[in-house]
Amino acid sequence: MTAHTTTGDTPFVVGLGGTLRANSSTERALRCCLASVERQGGRTRLFCGEDLNLPMYAPHELERTPGALELVGALRDADAVVVGSPGYHGAISGLVKNALDYIEDLREDPRVYLDNTPWGCISCAYGWQAAVGTLGQLRSIGHALRAWPTPIGVAINSADQIWDAQGQLIHDATRNQLDMLATQLLSFASTARETA
């Protein structure tokens, strides 16, 4: 029993994350993953940069900005979610965490929070320790929201040459992982819809 809607058999995947700096490495990775979702037949919506520049989440405040309402509405309709965060001091960024806190507005929906929803995770950091630690935090948040983290999560070490000077992905292993993440999101979204 779910409250979200779909167009025919086309799964809807919402991407969320990045930084306030346009075209950050995290945003690029999310865009690559969502492009793969679209190549494989899914619909997507990305919230990044200024889309996430929301007031601090306050559960006792009933008013929401138009941007917050748009984000919550898309998450309500999502068949799958992929979240990307930079690793700041070994943890997810405050910007991404605040945006995720708005999922609390789904607590009284027929589908509580993101129950039974595939949850993909991408982290980018300058070094493996922060990248892997941040990825683990994103997975834990997914569990807390009753979502199903995909078996693959993508940790990107920005110290490696992942992007070219124009910001295009040139690291084959990362591309393959982002494609696999897209495949798992779509596959698990279809399974979740069949068993709902």
Side-chain angles (χ1 to χ4, degrees):
M1 180 161 87
T2 61
H4 60 294
T5 59
T6 57
T7 301
D9 292 327
T10 306
F12 177 48
V13 180
V14 172
L16 179 162
T19 73
L20 290 178
R21 179 173 55 86
N23 205 29
S24 68
S25 57
T26 309
E27 181 182 323
R28 288 182 208 158
L30 280 166
R31 288 186 186 282
C32 288
C33 182
L34 292 178
S36 183
V37 166
E38 290 180 358
R39 286 194 301 274
Q40 296 179 53
R43 294 182 302 123
T44 67
R45 174 71 197 275
L46 176 61
F47 292 86
C48 62
E50 282 299 321
D51 299 330
L52 303 182
N53 195 8
L54 303 169
M56 290 300 292
Y57 180 73
H60 59 283
E61 294 287 344
L62 298 180
E63 280 197 34
R64 296 285 180 256
T65 64
L69 290 172
E70 192 171 354
L71 172 64
V72 171
L75 290 167
R76 179 174 281 123
D77 291 341
D79 294 299
V81 177
V82 57
V83 181
S85 177
Y88 286 169
H89 309 118
I92 70 169
S93 73
L95 182 78
V96 172
K97 178 62 169 68
N98 185 57
L100 293 175
D101 286 344
Y102 278 86
I103 296 173
E104 182 65 18
D105 285 1
L106 304 179
R107 68 187 172 278
E108 295 179 5
D109 280 19
R111 177 182 73 175
V112 180
Y113 299 128
L114 294 172
D115 188 46
N116 207 34
T117 303
W119 174 268
C121 304
I122 300 170
S123 66
C124 295
Y126 201 81
W128 285 115
Q129 182 174 343
V132 172
T134 301
L135 188 69
Q137 288 184 335
L138 289 172
R139 294 176 69 82
S140 292
I141 291 168
H143 283 297
L145 294 170
R146 305 184 188 184
W148 291 94
T150 57
I152 190 169
V154 182
I156 299 173
N157 182 356
S158 299
D160 294 338
Q161 190 169 4
I162 306 296
W163 315 96
D164 67 15
Q166 289 73 43
Q168 298 300 308
L169 181 61
I170 58 172
H171 194 260
D172 288 340
T174 300
R175 177 181 291 105
N176 292 340
Q177 290 175 358
L178 292 170
D179 285 343
M180 188 181 302
L181 177 55
T183 300
Q184 289 183 358
L185 287 166
L186 290 171
S187 174
F188 299 153
S190 296
T191 300
R193 286 166 56 188
E194 288 167 6
T195 58

